[in-house]
């Protein structure tokens, strides 16, 4: 505290507020000291200065991940400060917090309003912050091209005191998530150089963590660990919740890849211990995956099952979260289109009223022209309403289907399977659940590339459809795993269909430009005759049969029987997790 008092004893409150805001990410410990000093002087501040201080408090609460407190502070600034610049900056921050807190629909609605107001936003720093957080919001929705446009717009209009560090960091994050970066991409070093020159350790850490993720993707865990150890002091000195969680989980993944189970386990447990209660995100999913792999390797079946169940919950939550973000973006776009239509409709109505005043003095022929104009306006409204309805139906369809293969996605397959099993149980029918997992799919991806891998997944979906009936359910469960629910099908019939699918895959390699790429699949089958109509049990026993097929040498069908113990399938063997 004495250091803060010593650095700027002669500064006015207004100048001290400006200096404090400029240090948020470049020197966060000093920012906190100055913030405390400003609170000690709050009684002598003007109303405008107290609102500026309240905005900085809201920013700090958001930085710590305390979104409830940040929401209260930022909404207070937006609703009562009366300062257009502060309102814009607080709105941009609130939009980012809504996205981080999974309030996607509100976030995209606010993003649309902020982008619509950009031409009227004169303050360069406020405009810079809006562009930054809007880019981040569209990145979360998978709108990478749009996010990149806003990131590049930031570079074209840097406010005084800002550098290209932040826009380059955002652009790097967009390019990485869009699979357009490698560890040797020049954008990484350019971004790091810009942020280090600007004295922005928080953003430097963001880029380092992206590079570390790329090292892991490229199978270079030793480089990943070396980099994490090098940047650890900076992450501890500028403790962003997401940076610290990412670093822990990436360390766990790197140690696992190197075969150091103890350190991998410890790092993953540290990430779980530091997480917020009820969190659902991809970082925790990856932590549980490491713990599951370690427990499985150590032959601790009960721990492996426990961690796998948590992993499945996190993975399903992540997939649902991705769908929710995409759907929220689409809904916001549809509402914006509807508002535009309403504005156009009101504009047309005003024009019609003016025409009526003129047409009152004209002949019957002019009256007919007026009627024609009304019909044109009505036809236009009907056209737009039909277009909106068609778009809504399209987005509803997309939310149910897997974007690559065109079959049911995980969430919709599970929902439909539960409904179908419930109806089947009431009719005392039978069904078989079939789990299919492509053998050595990662090796195919690594050898031939992801484009061939995607083509193989679509090819597989086509082969699986051939023996299915109209009422059977078929979905992609994630990665290279598929699920089929054969309705009205006895155990032996389900087993025969599974053998037919496996044989078709073995006999029908993927033809890519004259190259025949052979592949096979391991298949697990569970029947309601032995497992009952509970979907969770059917999934567990079909999965157990699938793992048994993997351990037995792959490229085979294994059916669950009533005497099998599903826990034993979690013992380590040749099967992939």
């Amino acid at each position: 505290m004495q250091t803060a008092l010593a650095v700027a004893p002669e500064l006015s409150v207004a100048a001290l507020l400006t200096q404090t805001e400029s240090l948020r990410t470049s020197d966060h410990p000093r920012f906190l000291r100055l913030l405390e000093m400003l609170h000690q002087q709050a009684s002598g501040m003007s109303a405008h200065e107290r609102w500026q201080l309240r905005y900085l408090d809201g920013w700090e609460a958001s930085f710590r991940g305390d979104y409830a407190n940040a929401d209260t502070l930022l909404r207070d600034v937006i609703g009562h400060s009366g300062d257009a610049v502060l309102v814009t900056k607080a709105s941009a921050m609130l939009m980012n917090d809504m996205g981080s807190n999974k309030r996607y629909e509100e976030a995209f609605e606010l993003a649309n309003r902020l982008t619509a107001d950009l031409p009227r936003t004169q303050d360069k720093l406020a405009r810079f912050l809006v562009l930054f957080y809007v880019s981040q919001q569209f990145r979360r929705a998978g709108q990478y091209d749009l996010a990149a446009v806003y990131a590049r717009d930031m570079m074209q209009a840097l406010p005084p005191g800002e550098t290209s560090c932040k826009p380059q960091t955002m652009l790097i994050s967009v390019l990485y998530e869009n699979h357009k970066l490698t560890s040797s991409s020049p954008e990484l070093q350019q971004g790091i150089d810009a942020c280090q020159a600007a004295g922005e350790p928080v953003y430097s850490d963001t880029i380092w963590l992206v590079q570390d993720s790329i090292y892991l993707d490229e199978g270079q865990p030793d480089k990943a660990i070396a980099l994490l150890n090098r940047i650890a002091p900076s992450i501890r000195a500028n403790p962003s919740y997401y940076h610290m969680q990412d670093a822990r989980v990436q360390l766990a993944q790197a140690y696992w890849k190197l075969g150091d189970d103890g350190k991998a386990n410890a790092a993953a447990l540290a990430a779980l211990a530091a997480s917020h209660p009820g969190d659902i995100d991809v970082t925790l999913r990856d932590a549980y995956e490491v713990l599951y792999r370690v427990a499985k390797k150590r032959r601790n079946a009960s721990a492996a099952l426990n961690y796998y169940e948590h992993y499945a919950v996190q993975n399903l939550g992540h997939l649902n979260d991705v769908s929710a973000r995409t759907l929220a973006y689409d809904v916001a776009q549809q509402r914006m289109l509807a508002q535009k239509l309403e504005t156009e409709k009101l504009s047309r109505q005003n024009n019609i009223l003016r025409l009526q005043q003129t047409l009152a003095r004209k002949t019957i022929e002019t009256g007919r022209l007026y009627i024609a104009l009304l019909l044109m306006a009505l036809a236009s409204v009907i056209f737009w309403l039909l277009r909106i309805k068609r778009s809504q139906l399209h987005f509803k369809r997309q939310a149910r289907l897997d974007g690559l293969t065109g079959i049911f996605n995980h969430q919709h397959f599970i929902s439909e399977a539960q409904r179908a099993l419930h109806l089947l149980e009431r009719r005392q029918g039978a069904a078989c659940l079939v789990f299919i997992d492509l053998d050595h799919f990662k090796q195919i991806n690594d050898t031939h590339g992801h484009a061939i891998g995607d083509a193989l997944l679509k090819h597989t979906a086509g082969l699986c459809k051939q023996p299915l009936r109209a009422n059977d359910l078929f979905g992609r469960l994630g990665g290279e795993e598929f699920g089929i629910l054969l309705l009205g099908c006895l155990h032996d019939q389900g087993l025969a269909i599974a053998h037919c699918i496996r044989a078709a895959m073995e006999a029908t390699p993927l033809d890519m430009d004259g190259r025949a790429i052979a592949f096979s699949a391991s298949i697990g089958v569970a029947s309601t005759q032995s497992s009952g109509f509970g979907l969770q049990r059917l999934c567990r026993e079909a999965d157990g049969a699938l793992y048994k097929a993997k351990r037995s040498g792959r490229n085979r069908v294994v059916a669950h029987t009533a005497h099998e113990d599903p826990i034993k399938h979690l013992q380590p063997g040749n099967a992939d997790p």
Side-chain angles (χ1 to χ4, degrees):
M1 185 60 200
Q2 291 179 353
T3 303
L5 290 168
V7 292
E10 72 287 350
L11 289 179
S12 66
V13 170
L16 191 57
L17 282 163
T18 301
Q19 182 186 57
T20 303
E21 184 173 6
S22 69
L23 294 172
R24 289 173 303 174
T25 54
S26 59
D27 191 347
H28 190 255
R30 190 178 174 204
F31 166 79
L32 292 176
R33 294 196 298 271
L34 291 177
L35 193 63
E36 183 181 350
M37 183 171 135
L38 284 166
H39 275 284
Q40 293 177 358
Q41 301 180 23
S43 60
M45 290 182 181
S46 67
H48 174 70
E49 289 165 345
R50 284 196 293 273
W51 285 118
Q52 285 182 288
L53 179 59
R54 198 158 183 80
Y55 162 70
L56 293 177
D57 287 338
W59 185 94
E60 172 57 23
S62 175
F63 185 78
R64 294 195 313 268
D66 184 1
Y67 298 121
N69 191 32
D71 188 281
T72 300
L73 293 167
L74 294 171
R75 286 186 186 276
D76 197 17
V77 172
I78 294 167
H80 303 101
S81 70
D83 184 295
V85 173
L86 276 179
V87 168
T88 300
K89 293 195 290 188
S91 297
M93 196 72 214
L94 180 61
M95 172 191 64
N96 183 64
D97 289 356
M98 287 173 174
S100 300
N101 208 20
K102 305 185 187 305
R103 292 154 57 190
Y104 300 124
E105 193 168 330
E106 295 176 78
F108 284 116
E109 291 284 353
L110 186 51
N112 285 336
R113 293 201 296 271
L114 288 170
T115 51
D117 289 340
L118 270 177
R120 296 184 292 276
T121 303
Q122 300 300 317
D123 186 86
K124 290 187 175 182
L125 179 58
R127 179 183 177 85
F128 185 80
L129 289 174
V130 169
L131 288 170
F132 181 84
Y133 289 123
V134 166
S135 177
Q136 182 153 288
Q137 198 62 32
F138 287 128
R139 175 177 64 84
R140 286 171 174 157
Q143 300 296 316
Y144 299 120
D145 292 339
L146 193 55
V149 167
Y150 284 116
R152 292 188 175 99
D153 283 350
M154 293 170 66
M155 298 184 198
Q156 304 304 316
L158 294 173
E162 286 289 349
T163 69
S164 64
C165 166
K166 293 174 185 176
Q168 286 197 60
T169 302
M170 179 57 66
L171 186 58
I172 286 168
S173 298
V174 171
L175 293 175
Y176 171 68
E177 292 187 16
N178 204 18
H179 308 293
K180 292 184 177 180
L181 284 181
T182 67
S183 58
S184 59
S185 295
E187 290 90 348
L188 291 167
Q189 192 58 50
Q190 291 168 5
I192 290 167
D193 291 342
C195 291
Q196 289 184 334
E200 291 281 4
V202 172
Y203 292 95
S204 297
D205 293 343
T206 299
I207 300 175
W208 285 126
L209 288 169
V210 168
Q211 181 150 19
D212 200 77
S213 294
I214 296 173
Y215 282 148
L216 291 173
D217 294 341
E218 293 177 349
Q220 302 184 72
D222 49 343
K223 288 187 177 181
I225 291 174
L227 177 56
L228 287 169
N229 288 333
R230 180 154 55 88
I231 66 175
S234 175
I235 293 177
R236 287 194 296 269
N238 302 277
S240 163
Y241 170 74
Y242 291 106
H243 283 180
M244 297 180 75
Q245 286 292 81
D246 285 346
R248 292 182 183 108
V249 174
Q250 288 178 17
L251 193 63
Q253 291 173 319
Y255 278 128
W256 165 255
K257 288 177 181 290
L258 286 176
D260 193 334
D261 299 346
K263 290 183 178 179
N265 203 69
L269 288 173
L272 297 186
S275 64
H276 296 150
D279 272 0
I280 298 287
D281 61 38
V282 70
T283 305
L284 290 180
R285 180 199 68 182
D286 293 342
Y288 278 117
E289 182 180 14
V290 170
L291 292 169
Y292 161 70
R293 289 176 180 272
V294 171
K296 182 182 175 185
K297 184 177 177 181
R298 291 175 173 174
R299 300 179 181 273
N300 188 341
S302 60
L305 178 60
N306 178 54
Y307 288 136
Y308 185 82
E309 288 175 348
H310 283 291
Y311 163 80
V313 168
Q314 291 290 334
N315 189 50
L316 179 59
H318 169 65
L319 294 174
N320 290 341
D321 193 47
V322 171
S323 297
R325 277 181 275 171
T326 303
L327 184 60
Y329 170 78
D330 293 336
V331 168
Q333 294 303 103
Q334 288 300 308
R335 285 183 178 171
M336 187 169 66
L337 181 61
Q339 289 169 358
K340 180 180 178 182
L341 177 61
E342 185 63 27
T343 301
E344 291 177 354
K345 180 180 176 182
L346 290 173
S347 177
R348 288 192 185 97
Q349 289 174 343
N350 289 333
N351 290 335
I352 290 169
L353 288 173
R354 286 193 294 270
L355 284 172
Q356 284 178 326
Q357 294 172 358
T358 303
L359 292 173
R361 300 186 300 266
K362 293 186 179 289
T363 63
I364 298 299
E365 183 181 354
T366 309
R368 290 174 180 170
L369 177 61
Y370 168 61
I371 293 172
L373 290 172
L374 283 176
L375 290 174
M376 289 175 61
L378 180 61
S380 177
V381 170
I382 293 173
F383 168 79
W384 280 103
L385 289 174
L386 289 173
R387 184 174 178 180
I388 290 172
K389 185 63 177 178
R390 187 172 59 184
S391 297
Q392 288 173 338
L393 291 173
H394 170 74
F395 291 133
K396 183 178 180 181
R397 231 175 9 253
Q398 290 298 102
R400 298 166 52 195
L401 302 180
D402 175 60
L404 178 64
T405 60
I407 61 178
F408 287 166
N409 60 27
H410 185 117
Q411 181 181 5
H412 191 65
F413 176 81
I414 293 298
S415 174
E416 288 297 303
Q418 287 177 326
R419 183 185 62 80
L421 287 169
H422 178 69
L423 293 174
L424 200 63
E425 184 178 16
R426 291 168 59 183
R427 296 200 303 264
Q428 297 183 342
C432 290
L433 181 62
V434 180
F435 276 5
I436 303 168
D437 191 275
L438 298 186
D439 296 329
H440 305 298
F441 182 74
K442 183 178 185 302
Q443 181 178 343
I444 293 174
N445 260 341
D446 293 343
T447 303
H448 302 285
H450 288 284
I452 299 295
D454 289 348
L456 181 58
L457 291 173
K458 291 190 279 189
H459 180 62
T460 300
L463 292 175
C464 290
K465 287 179 182 178
Q466 292 176 5
L468 301 185
R469 300 156 301 172
N471 64 331
D472 293 331
L473 303 178
F474 181 28
R476 183 181 175 193
L477 304 181
E480 67 274 22
E481 187 172 0
F482 298 86
I484 300 172
L485 183 62
L486 300 168
L487 298 171
C489 183
L490 298 175
H491 176 273
D492 291 342
Q493 294 173 316
L495 198 57
I497 292 174
H499 278 294
C500 178
I501 291 172
R502 186 208 62 77
M505 292 182 187
E506 185 178 29
T508 316
L510 175 66
D511 185 5
M512 292 299 293
D513 298 327
R515 288 186 301 163
I517 300 174
F519 70 105
S520 64
S522 298
I523 302 177
V525 181
S527 170
T528 57
Q529 293 173 274
S530 59
S531 304
F533 291 89
L535 180 59
Q536 185 176 7
R537 180 177 175 186
L538 274 171
C539 288
R540 184 171 64 248
E541 293 177 352
D543 200 46
L546 173 62
Y547 275 103
K548 186 173 181 181
K550 288 282 188 183
R551 289 201 310 272
S552 302
R554 297 184 172 87
N555 190 22
R556 63 195 60 214
V557 177
V558 172
H560 172 80
T561 65
H563 305 293
E564 289 188 63
D565 179 7
I567 299 299
K568 71 182 180 181
H569 299 314
L570 293 176
Q571 298 295 335
N574 296 325
D576 294 329

